[in-house]
Amino acid sequence: MQQTPSPRRAPIVAPRQALAEDGPLVEGREFVWSDADFSRIKALIYKKAGISLHDGKHAMVYSRVSRRLRETGHASFKTYLDWLEQHDGAEWQEFINALTTNLTAFFREQHHFSILSELLAAKRTQSWRIWCSAASTGEEPYSIAITATEALGASGTFQIVNSDIDTKVLATAARGIYKSEGVKGLSQEQLQRHFMRGKGTNAGFMRVKPELQKHMEFLTVNLIQDLPFREPFDVVFCRNVMIYFDAATQRQVLERIHRVMKPGGMLFVGHAENFSDARNLFVLRGKTVYERV
């Protein structure tokens, strides 16, 4: 009896991977991604914004910059980066916006605001100039403004200049509108005094009152370029910014900040930042608080 042959099975073939110029595409990615692409992006963002990316940021960079490929209609990182380097237009700002990290909250690192309050209250009659150099979406600037209002009283005089390199988050900060669940860290008294609760189609949102916003100015500033300020500041907040710079860039930025501060002015930095090697510029006066020499 002739035996019926078993059906032939197709050979198992591994999924084909698209190859980049110097390495394989990770399976499932939309665009070819290579070490060369990462190196080019790393060099460009360092040149434009001083941001130092380490090799562990491959996934983050791919995810964020691939959005720019979709928006601009490019089929590869190479063609996008070639085009970017040949043009001096608005896309450079979008490229920078894509690679900046914005993590913030109202009254984050509370001890800084207690120190600021004591500093301001000790000289209530002084006209204060404060610079928030990484305003992000505005939670930090408005926390500073609330602190200043409470410390100085109704007759207090202060101006807060708020800057960021990311134009999109800065626009959010200037609007001063937040979801109700996003105003954690504020007391009910602070909410009632400084915010308006949305109604109707705006239900679920809170808006900063004009009385607080009148003290605020918003502008785009790149910390690795010459700073645009003519009048010196009494207080500068530059928190959790320096961690994205290498040592040489940190020093350059500190020197720029030093030049736009009054002697004896106070610099507030992030909990992971230490500038003990810049004692000729700033002297430590408290937990992550430095005095301008």
Side-chain angles (χ1 to χ4, degrees), residues 157-181:
T157 303
F158 67 93
Q159 178 194 25
I160 305 175
V161 177
N162 306 287
S163 69
D164 206 286
I165 194 173
D166 186 329
T167 55
K168 289 185 177 179
V169 297
L170 196 63
T172 299
R175 285 193 294 270
I177 300 173
Y178 302 93
K179 291 182 179 180
S180 298
E181 60 267 27

Side-chain angles (χ1 to χ4, degrees), residues 6-290:
S6 302
R8 293 185 60 187
R9 294 183 179 179
I12 298 174
V13 179
R16 185 180 179 184
Q17 290 183 317
L19 296 179
E21 291 180 357
D22 63 344
L25 169 69
V26 173
E27 187 178 351
R29 278 185 172 154
E30 179 181 357
F31 301 102
V32 170
W33 174 245
S34 71
D35 288 340
D37 296 325
F38 179 77
S39 294
R40 286 184 72 184
I41 292 170
K42 181 178 179 179
L44 288 173
I45 196 63
Y46 182 81
K47 180 181 178 180
K48 290 291 183 178
I51 297 172
S52 184
L53 296 171
H54 58 75
D55 289 342
K57 295 292 185 180
H58 266 263
M60 181 273 282
V61 171
Y62 173 87
S63 175
R64 295 186 182 186
V65 181
S66 62
R67 298 172 197 161
R68 300 311 312 152
L69 270 65
R70 297 185 199 102
E71 287 288 326
T72 56
H74 285 88
S76 73
F77 285 91
K78 184 181 185 305
T79 59
Y80 170 73
L81 295 172
D82 287 345
W83 174 79
L84 188 66
E85 290 187 289
Q86 293 167 10
H87 294 80
D88 187 21
E91 183 58 26
W92 275 112
Q93 185 62 60
E94 296 294 341
F95 175 76
I96 292 170
N97 290 354
L99 290 171
T100 51
T101 299
N102 299 284
L103 179 63
T104 187
F106 284 97
F107 289 95
R108 186 183 182 197
E109 297 183 48
Q110 174 66 50
H111 71 283
H112 279 163
F113 299 98
S114 299
I115 294 170
L116 176 64
S117 180
E118 293 174 6
L119 179 69
L120 298 177
K123 297 181 180 179
R124 288 176 180 265
T125 58
Q126 178 176 319
S127 179
W128 292 87
R129 273 179 57 81
I130 302 171
W131 175 29
C132 178
S133 66
S136 187
T137 47
E139 288 87 342
E140 182 173 294
Y142 292 118
S143 298
I144 295 170
I146 290 170
T147 300
T149 299
E150 294 175 350
L152 297 174
S155 60
T157 303
F158 67 93
Q159 178 194 25
I160 305 175
V161 177
N162 306 287
S163 69
D164 206 286
I165 194 173
D166 186 329
T167 55
K168 289 185 177 179
V169 297
L170 196 63
T172 299
R175 285 193 294 270
I177 300 173
Y178 302 93
K179 291 182 179 180
S180 298
E181 60 267 27
V183 293
K184 296 176 181 178
L186 297 171
S187 67
Q188 285 302 311
E189 182 182 354
Q190 288 171 329
L191 288 173
Q192 291 175 3
R193 183 178 179 187
H194 302 295
F195 287 79
M196 297 177 288
R197 192 177 298 276
K199 297 179 181 179
T201 57
N202 295 318
F205 290 89
M206 307 287 286
R207 182 168 194 160
V208 177
K209 288 185 177 180
E211 294 86 348
L212 195 66
Q213 281 199 311
K214 70 180 182 181
H215 298 282
M216 316 292 273
E217 178 185 351
F218 297 89
L219 70 162
T220 306
V221 171
N222 187 336
L223 294 176
I224 69 167
Q225 298 175 355
D226 290 338
L227 301 177
F229 310 120
R230 294 184 179 181
E231 295 182 54
F233 294 97
D234 304 284
V235 174
V236 173
F237 275 67
C238 188
R239 305 194 305 171
N240 305 306
V241 177
M242 298 290 193
I243 55 175
Y244 299 105
F245 300 148
D246 60 19
T249 306
Q250 285 182 5
R251 176 70 190 195
Q252 293 167 5
V253 172
L254 281 174
E255 290 173 352
R256 290 188 182 93
I257 293 173
H258 183 271
R259 286 195 288 269
V260 300
M261 290 183 70
K262 295 178 182 177
M266 303 303 289
L267 171 65
F268 294 80
V269 303
H271 68 277
E273 297 165 327
N274 186 308
F275 306 120
S276 57
D277 57 346
R279 294 186 183 90
N280 62 320
L281 302 176
F282 296 95
V283 178
L284 187 64
R285 292 301 186 209
K287 185 180 178 184
T288 56
V289 180
Y290 290 82

